[in-house]
Amino acid sequence: MLNTINIADYVKDGAVHGKIYTDRDIFKMEIDKIFGETWVYVGHESEIANPGDYKTTKIGSQPVIVTRSADSKQINVVFNRCRHRGASVCQDECGNAHVLRCAYHGWTYSNSGKLLGAPFQDGYGEEFNREEMGLLQVPKVDSYRGFIFASLNEKVKPLTEHLGNAKPYIDFVADSGPEGIELSAGKHKYFLNANWKFQVENTIDPYHLSFVHKTFFDIVSQRTGEKMKFAKMHKEEKVSDLGNGHSLYELAGDLNIGALPFNLIIFPNLALLGSQVRVIQPVSVERTEVALYPIMLKGASKEVNTQRLRTHEGFYGPAGFGSPDDVEVAFERVKEGLKAEGNEWLVISRGMNREQVDENGIITANSSDEVSTRAIYKEWKRLMEA
């Protein structure tokens, strides 16, 4: 079935087909051809700051363990699958352990994946080679400014090439604190009963702010005595296609939703916005896990970091205005609306007539334009057809 899908039938200039959000075979292709072929964000070095620290996550649908070696010099990403009978070795989301032991039959590994022991090993005979039975390594692992990426594709292009024009903005985030940044405040996560691409698109969609989040901005106006002028804002702000599916929304002023002066998408699963690292994990065609990690400033005062947390919670927290509004309107209602048949194409053409291209090939238009969404599906189509 998969090889009968013609991706060109689902993406065209200024529009995408509704089935890209609901079709199970297209979702399976995404896991194989996007999450299985390009660089995927798996964690930040501050999450595994100490020797023996680890976290568990996924690359597409495949569970992995991200660890720091005992000598602190190496970051490892190994598949969370025992080489004996296939049980997952680590169950916790994070922790510290120099030895990883499978609970099923007691096979024990170092945190770099090397097999240390298999109980009653003599039963396997002389042909058993312990050196060849360690946890399998993810083919490619690299990091940029503390952000760790991994790829299942041995031939994936270098990470710095993949990040491309997004690197200066990652640099800005990494240099935010006097001594850098750390994801030390924990995380909160939520699940969407909707497709993962809805959350990616919504991360840079200033067009919806004055509608979906009207209540929040009305409260801000009451507090500040100044009314939000969205028409003026959209003319002053820009959204850019940085290439490789990455995109940028540059804020002209303070929206009272976080510290960063921009929203950044690193395709396919990472976003930096407000005061957070946002990680998007597809679970099924209509199920998505989203994790938000508040960015703490190393070397800053407790008061500064506390204020960042309160601002983050006010818009993105479980009792805030931003995320709950998006979940209902931008995700749940779109999913429901797609059940109606007839006109299958969804419009993403706003601003195509006023795009500008600079000497680096970066495409830019007004912040109410759908440049970012077009950037996503340009790379989506390229990878799905590769």
Side-chain angles (χ1 to χ4, degrees):
M1 176 62 183
L2 293 181
N3 59 10
T4 66
I5 295 176
N6 181 8
I7 290 301
D9 292 339
Y10 297 95
V11 181
K12 61 184 181 181
D13 286 345
V16 293
H17 197 283
K19 275 194 173 182
I20 69 170
Y21 306 103
T22 61
D23 188 276
R24 286 176 172 77
D25 290 328
I26 290 178
F27 176 80
K28 177 62 168 62
M29 283 186 68
E30 292 174 336
I31 296 299
D32 293 343
K33 302 182 78 84
I34 295 178
F35 288 86
E37 294 293 329
T38 192
W39 289 100
V40 176
Y41 174 77
V42 294
H44 190 267
E45 290 183 17
S46 64
E47 296 179 84
I48 51 168
N50 303 305
D53 281 355
Y54 70 86
K55 68 168 291 187
T56 56
T57 186
K58 289 184 178 180
I59 302 176
S61 60
Q62 302 202 44
V64 298
I65 314 168
V66 184
T67 75
R68 186 176 291 276
S69 63
D71 61 7
S72 243
K73 295 180 179 178
Q74 185 174 348
I75 294 172
N76 312 284
V77 183
V78 297
F79 291 100
N80 193 3
R81 171 176 169 161
C82 181
R83 292 296 301 278
H84 177 225
R85 298 296 294 276
S88 57
V89 177
C90 281
Q91 315 309 314
D92 295 334
E93 293 186 348
C94 60
N96 182 281
H98 294 294
V99 173
L100 306 175
R101 180 175 289 110
C102 177
Y104 195 2
H105 294 97
W107 282 39
T108 305
Y109 306 87
S110 72
N111 69 356
S112 63
K114 180 180 179 180
L115 179 64
L116 299 177
F120 315 114
Q121 183 178 315
D122 59 312
Y124 292 106
E126 295 182 359
E127 72 277 5
F128 186 84
N129 187 339
R130 185 184 296 182
E131 295 298 319
E132 296 178 353
M133 295 301 290
L135 298 175
L136 293 179
Q137 303 278 336
V138 171
K140 301 290 284 188
V141 179
D142 202 353
S143 65
Y144 181 79
R145 299 304 308 275
F147 293 87
I148 308 168
F149 295 81
S151 179
L152 304 177
N153 177 11
E154 179 67 42
K155 298 180 180 179
V156 69
K157 61 187 175 184
L159 177 61
T160 54
E161 184 179 335
H162 169 70
L163 296 176
N165 294 315
K167 292 199 298 290
Y169 302 98
I170 299 176
D171 293 340
F172 182 96
V173 176
D175 294 331
S176 296
E179 301 171 16
I181 63 169
E182 57 186 0
L183 307 187
S184 57
K187 69 177 178 180
H188 72 268
K189 64 182 179 181
Y190 51 90
F191 288 87
L192 315 176
N193 291 317
N195 190 268
W196 66 279
K197 297 186 293 298
F198 287 150
Q199 179 69 90
V200 182
E201 295 173 26
N202 178 260
T203 297
I204 297 185
D205 177 26
Y207 191 20
H208 81 282
L209 290 176
S210 59
F211 306 103
V212 176
H213 306 304
K214 182 179 185 302
T215 301
F216 174 81
F217 290 114
D218 283 349
I219 292 173
V220 171
S221 296
Q222 291 173 9
R223 290 175 178 173
T224 63
E226 297 182 9
K227 186 169 182 173
M228 295 292 296
K229 300 177 180 178
F230 286 99
K232 181 175 182 291
M233 181 189 81
H234 289 316
K235 290 180 180 179
E236 295 176 349
E237 296 180 339
K238 301 296 181 184
V239 171
S240 302
D241 174 354
L242 302 178
N244 296 334
H246 316 321
S247 54
L248 179 76
Y249 165 37
E250 298 177 89
L251 284 66
D254 183 8
L255 291 179
N256 294 280
I257 59 176
L260 289 177
F262 56 78
N263 290 14
L264 176 68
I265 291 173
I266 303 297
F267 187 83
N269 72 321
L270 171 65
L272 305 173
L273 67 155
S275 302
Q276 69 177 274
V277 170
R278 174 183 289 176
V279 184
I280 301 154
Q281 173 62 53
V283 177
S284 70
V285 67
E286 293 185 342
R287 182 75 167 170
T288 305
E289 177 184 317
V290 183
L292 310 184
Y293 298 79
I295 299 171
M296 298 289 95
L297 306 183
K298 290 183 69 175
S301 68
K302 180 180 179 180
E303 290 74 21
V304 167
N305 279 323
T306 298
Q307 183 56 49
R308 289 172 66 89
L309 278 173
R310 297 295 85 80
T311 302
H312 167 80
E313 291 163 353
F315 191 74
Y316 295 105
F321 286 86
S323 295
D325 285 346
D326 285 332
V327 168
E328 179 184 346
V329 180
F331 311 142
E332 297 283 357
R333 293 189 188 183
V334 176
K335 175 190 170 184
E336 180 65 20
L338 288 175
K339 295 176 182 177
E341 298 179 355
N343 185 0
E344 300 296 338
W345 290 94
L346 311 182
V347 178
I348 59 170
S349 62
R350 183 174 173 82
M352 288 181 67
N353 61 323
R354 54 190 178 196
E355 292 181 344
Q356 299 181 1
V357 184
D358 70 11
E359 64 277 7
N360 296 316
I362 296 175
I363 302 170
T364 301
N366 292 353
S367 70
S368 65
D369 295 340
E370 290 158 328
V371 175
S372 174
T373 308
R374 293 193 289 274
I376 291 166
Y377 288 107
K378 190 186 304 178
E379 182 70 357
W380 184 89
K381 183 175 185 289
R382 186 189 73 81
L383 288 169
M384 292 285 276
E385 290 182 333

